[in-house]
Amino acid sequence: AGRKKLHTAPVGQVFRLRPFHVLVATGGGYAGYRKYEDYKLEQLEKRGIEVPVKLASEWEVALYKSVPTRLLSRAWGRLNQVELPTWLRKPVYSLYIWTFGVNMKEAAVEDLHHYRNLSEFFRRKLKPQARPVCGVHSVISPSDGKILNFGQVKNCEVEQVKGVTYSLESFLGPRVSTEELHFSQAPPGNSFQQQLVTKEGNELYHCVIYLAPGDYHCFHSPTDWTVSHRRHFPGSLMSVNPGVARWIKELFCHNERVVLTGDWKHGFFSLTAVGATNVGSIRIYFDQDLHTNSPSYSKGSYNDFSFISNNNKEGIPMRKGEHLGEFNLGSTIVLIFEAPKDFKFNLKAGQKIRFGEALGSL
């Protein structure tokens, strides 16, 4: 009679699965599976075996996008800011160095105890002589990384990797007002690609550079140019490694990105920093108003900022090799620019490249 009643919740309540939890578990599991597939692809490529492109279906993309990568990236960003005890810094950073093959001999400060948190370590500066800037060629690599693709833009489509394309207009967004550019606009009725080409006889070129986690995370100006406009596209933060770029069409249009447009001596020039998983933070040094990876955003929206109307009608002049911005981890840089027809890239798809090395020239 003196026994106490044991109160238990109904079985259905204990095992109730909420839709969010199902999405996270399913999407996370699928993301893990994709990582394994990417690893297998990488091993085949190392052996010189060409793997045919197999694009993701709509449901696969939707499932991958169900993973809360923006939330995870913000959490990762906060973790990166946590100051590590001095005694813990060397073992933590040494593990990262060993995992991703970081060359600390190039760092301006080699002492691992100097970096108070992961963020400082990721954004470490290099010794001045570590990356000499090529003075002969007109366009240099803005970052360390791997060349995913390059060449002429054709039919308003750009290749993110061989055989997988994305829309030029979807990627850059609507044409910027001519009041913000130093050159005239093409006649109305032309294709979006033709509207970007301002001089007769010129073509539009592109180059995609993937920054791995072990690469130097800052990026620089690839040429002498003037930045007139910034367009920020909030979006997903899916992985941009080569395996995923081969799998998801228009991957770079799905992901958050910051598009800088302007002009150089041959006409239109743009540099786009594309975000990725754990890389929601994109920083442009001269743009204090830019805030990426916000908790909420409207799908398909973008934010414009003019450096012409807000900077005495002159824009932001950039010198070749000058510091431009940084990622918190690896990601992707996309260059799209106008140049004469005799412009030639000095590259091979898949090759490693370092900031300051030549991309191409006339």
Side-chain angles (χ1 to χ4, degrees):
R3 289 182 181 177
K4 293 182 179 179
K5 289 185 178 180
L6 181 64
H7 295 279
T8 58
V11 174
Q13 185 175 334
V14 173
F15 292 99
R16 184 186 301 163
L17 292 175
R18 300 181 185 277
F20 175 76
H21 298 153
V22 173
L23 283 173
V24 171
T26 309
Y30 195 72
Y33 165 73
R34 287 307 314 171
K35 284 285 186 184
Y36 172 67
E37 290 294 308
D38 294 343
Y39 171 76
K40 290 200 301 183
L41 174 63
E42 186 178 329
Q43 296 306 306
L44 290 172
E45 287 180 340
K46 284 182 179 179
R47 291 160 55 188
I49 301 174
E50 187 171 343
V51 182
V53 171
K54 184 181 179 182
L55 293 177
S57 63
E58 288 186 13
W59 73 264
E60 286 178 309
V61 175
L63 189 57
Y64 189 8
K65 291 175 77 172
S66 71
V67 180
T69 51
R70 294 178 64 83
L71 177 63
L72 292 172
S73 295
R74 285 195 298 276
W76 175 251
R78 292 192 181 97
L79 178 63
N80 287 349
Q81 300 295 331
V82 175
E83 185 167 341
L84 297 176
T86 305
W87 62 268
L88 189 58
R89 294 174 189 176
K90 188 170 183 178
V92 169
Y93 301 147
S94 295
L95 177 62
Y96 187 91
I97 290 167
W98 176 79
T99 303
F100 295 108
V102 178
N103 183 4
M104 284 302 292
K105 291 183 179 179
E106 298 177 333
V109 180
E110 296 184 39
D111 181 11
L112 298 180
H113 296 103
H114 169 79
Y115 303 100
R116 294 173 298 177
N117 52 46
L118 286 165
S119 181
E120 285 189 2
F121 176 71
F122 293 149
R123 296 181 290 108
R124 64 194 175 277
K125 303 300 181 185
L126 299 181
K127 294 172 182 173
Q129 67 274 20
R131 295 290 186 277
V133 174
C134 176
V136 177
H137 293 78
S138 55
V139 184
I140 62 168
S141 177
S143 65
D144 288 8
K146 178 181 181 180
I147 301 294
L148 292 191
N149 215 309
F150 62 92
Q152 284 190 15
V153 177
K154 297 180 180 179
N155 302 318
C156 296
E157 292 281 318
V158 187
E159 279 194 322
Q160 58 193 33
V161 293
K162 185 178 179 181
V164 183
T165 63
Y166 57 93
S167 161
L168 178 65
E169 186 168 7
S170 296
F171 181 69
L172 296 179
R175 183 78 162 88
V176 176
S177 168
T178 53
E179 294 178 0
E180 299 183 17
L181 301 173
H182 294 160
F183 45 81
S184 59
Q185 189 170 5
N190 286 0
S191 69
F192 183 78
Q193 178 178 336
Q194 291 170 328
Q195 290 178 33
L196 296 180
V197 177
T198 63
K199 298 179 181 179
E200 189 174 350
N202 281 3
E203 297 287 348
L204 207 60
Y205 298 86
H206 74 98
C207 183
V208 183
I209 304 167
Y210 167 68
L211 290 73
D215 287 326
Y216 168 56
H217 294 341
C218 297
F219 50 94
H220 301 246
S221 176
T223 192
D224 295 334
W225 65 307
T226 300
V227 183
S228 305
H229 186 270
R230 178 259 292 159
R231 177 168 285 157
H232 170 218
F233 290 85
S236 301
L237 288 173
M238 294 184 283
S239 171
V240 292
N241 73 46
V244 177
R246 287 172 56 90
W247 181 56
I248 297 181
K249 183 178 173 64
E250 300 213 333
L251 171 65
F252 300 154
C253 297
H254 287 291
N255 272 16
E256 181 153 7
R257 59 198 182 278
V258 176
V259 181
L260 300 178
T261 55
D263 60 285
W264 70 318
K265 61 183 177 181
H266 298 297
F268 174 81
F269 199 96
S270 73
L271 179 149
T272 301
V274 183
T277 307
N278 294 336
V279 198
S281 175
I282 302 170
R283 183 182 173 195
I284 304 297
Y285 294 139
F286 57 73
D287 190 352
Q288 302 303 314
D289 295 314
L290 175 65
H291 301 286
T292 57
N293 197 15
S294 300
S296 61
Y297 70 96
S298 300
K299 186 178 179 181
S301 65
Y302 58 84
N303 307 305
D304 282 339
F305 185 87
S306 168
F307 297 111
I308 296 292
S309 57
N310 292 281
N311 197 56
N312 300 321
K313 303 290 183 183
E314 293 182 1
I316 307 293
M318 297 296 301
R319 302 294 296 174
K320 184 167 65 173
E322 187 177 351
H323 277 85
L324 183 53
E326 63 189 39
F327 295 109
N328 261 352
L329 206 60
S331 198
T332 296
I333 296 284
V334 180
L335 302 180
I336 298 175
F337 57 93
E338 174 184 0
K341 289 182 178 179
D342 55 351
F343 180 88
K344 300 293 182 184
F345 284 104
N346 304 306
L347 303 170
K348 291 182 180 178
Q351 79 170 70
K352 290 282 189 179
I353 198 163
R354 304 204 303 178
F355 154 61
E357 294 179 346
L359 289 183
S361 191
L362 297 170

